[in-house]
Every structure is written in C-alpha cells, then in structure tokens.
Amino acid sequence: MTDAATPRRGRFITLEGGEGAGKSTQIAALCAWLAQRGITAVRTREPGGAPGAEEIRRLLVTGEPGKWDAITEALLMNAARRDHVVRTIRPALERGDWVVCDRFYDSTLVYQGVAGGVPMATLRSLIDMAVEDTRPDLTLILDIDPATGLSRAGARAGERTGGNDPAAETRFERKGAPFHAKVAQGFRALAADEPERCALIDATGSVETVAQAILSAVSARLSLG
Ligand code: TMP
C-alpha cells in the first residue's frame, strides 16, 4: 500500500550479458509487455543514458582496444554511471516509472573486474559512490557462448575493416576471445553468487523462447500490480 508519506517507487530492471546476447531485442519486447500492463518503463542503457554520459560513452566504446587501461575504464564507466543515475534513473523511479536498463554496474564487475583484473573491492567502492542506494530490483543475465555472441554482434565486420572506422562501437568486441570467455564465466558466477537479485537466462534459443523466459522471471520476481 502507498500513501503520501511513502510514495510508490518504480521498479528497476537491468539486463546484462556478453556481446551479442540479444539484449536490445529483448528489452524492446519487455517494455512492450510492461506497457500492455499499464506500466510506463523508461528504456535506457550504459554506458550512456543521459547527455553527458553519452559523451563519455563515445570515448569508451570507440578506438583501439588498448586505448584505456581497465582502471581508467572503470573510472570513466562510473563517471558516466553517476550522471545517468542522477539525471535519468533516479528521477524516473521517483515518478513511479519503471526503468529497464541495458547494462549497469554488473558489467563493470565483470568486464573491468573479472576480465580486466581490477580488484573487486576497488570497483565496489567506485560503484557505491556512483549509485548510492539506486540498485537494481532484478538483473536478467543473458547467457550465451561468447563465440556465438561475438559473431551475432558483428565483431567480424569490425575485423574486416581493420577497426579503422573511428565511429565504430567495437572497442570491447575486439578485446579477443580469452577476454570474452572470462566475461561469460564472470556473468555466470555473478548469477550464482546473487540468486535473489539475478536470473540467468539461456539466450541461445529463439527470440520468442528467450522473451518467454524473461517474462516468467519478471512475473515471478516482481509484483506487477
Ligand atoms: P553495449 O555494446 O552493450 O552497448 O556496451 C558497450 C560496451 O561497454 C560493452 O562491450 C560492455 C562495455 N561495458 C563495460 O566494459 N563496463 C561497463 O560498466 C559497462 C556498462 C559496459
């Protein structure tokens, strides 16, 4: 029950996973399904999701894979995250809207932590500073074999052009197979470590099968009323 003293806060759902797991398609389906139930959902993404954060995104996702070291990436990701939380996510939740976000701090723990080698305690303190108490109610982790995901994501196109298009958002895709194997393993470990918040979704099936698994997880774990 809500009253004037305890305003209703919207729910915050994040989608995570390696490259080419199909997050964008699934986020569109989830937002459409929520809209059919009368729920307004703000669709957003990281890095990005606010004008300043989108400027930082461009620095992060373009250029050579070695352009930033993992600690610099973590600092930039969390600078962008702070802007996104303050300007977009928190106001939406306070209005009572739901927020569906393509990646959030779990991507930092996995990409810069598990795969990039930055200590978890360092990352957690940066994340705490960026998000304070704005944390996901539910995290859907789309699990896919990294080679399949990378080919879906079009990494091969980036390789064909030699990564020479300065605007191509392929910097992380081009970090190499061992990096992406660690990313996949990191997301699975995270799902096992935090089963109450995280649902691991097999993303290898058809779009419809994966969408059904996502809707089941959302219905089972969050009250839609
Ligand atoms: P996208 O391709 O899903 O839009 O995300 C851009 C890339 O940024 C993706 O390869 C994952 C990476 N990333 C991190 O390394 N750390 C983070 O904290 C976030 C949010 C994304």
Side-chain angles (χ1 to χ4, degrees), residues 19 23 45-47 57 61 73 77 81 102-109 111-112 169 172-173 180:
E19 312 300 315
K23 290 184 282 90
R45 69 168 178 183
E46 286 209 345
R57 176 189 175 90
V61 300
E73 286 174 3
M77 290 288 178
R81 179 162 301 130
D102 186 339
R103 301 193 183 281
F104 199 53
Y105 59 61
D106 297 304
S107 280
T108 303
L109 295 174
Y111 279 80
Q112 282 67 55
E169 294 195 342
F172 285 92
E173 288 171 18
H180 290 286

Side-chain angles (χ1 to χ4, degrees), residues 175-213:
K175 278 185 182 267
F179 181 91
H180 290 286
K182 285 185 197 159
V183 166
Q185 176 265 320
F187 276 124
R188 286 176 200 140
L190 204 122
D193 284 352
E194 291 193 56
E196 289 188 2
R197 175 174 66 90
C198 300
L200 190 67
I201 307 282
D202 181 357
T204 49
S206 68
V207 169
E208 293 74 23
T209 308
V210 178
Q212 198 49 56

Side-chain angles (χ1 to χ4, degrees), residues 12 46 78 81-82 85-86 89-90 104-105 124-136:
F12 182 18
E46 286 209 345
N78 281 289
R81 179 162 301 130
R82 175 68 186 170
V85 164
V86 169
I89 298 176
R90 215 174 267 167
F104 199 53
Y105 59 61
R124 288 199 187 278
S125 68
L126 288 176
I127 289 167
D128 287 350
M129 200 184 337
V131 310
E132 297 168 301
D133 62 352
T134 304
R135 313 248 166 196

Side-chain angles (χ1 to χ4, degrees), residues 16-102:
E16 297 280 3
E19 312 300 315
K23 290 184 282 90
S24 305
T25 308
Q26 294 300 335
I27 286 171
L30 174 58
C31 289
W33 183 82
L34 290 170
Q36 283 168 11
R37 275 148 194 81
I39 295 169
T40 304
V42 172
R43 178 182 173 173
T44 188
R45 69 168 178 183
E46 286 209 345
E54 289 286 336
E55 289 184 39
I56 298 172
R57 176 189 175 90
R58 190 175 46 77
L59 300 175
L60 278 160
V61 300
T62 62
E64 287 307 306
K67 171 177 162 188
W68 310 111
D69 78 353
I71 292 180
T72 313
E73 286 174 3
L75 291 165
L76 289 169
M77 290 288 178
N78 281 289
R81 179 162 301 130
R82 175 68 186 170
D83 188 53
H84 184 210
V85 164
V86 169
R87 312 246 175 213
T88 304
I89 298 176
R90 215 174 267 167
L93 296 174
E94 284 168 2
R95 285 196 302 272
D97 291 348
W98 289 36
V99 172
V100 179
C101 189
D102 186 339

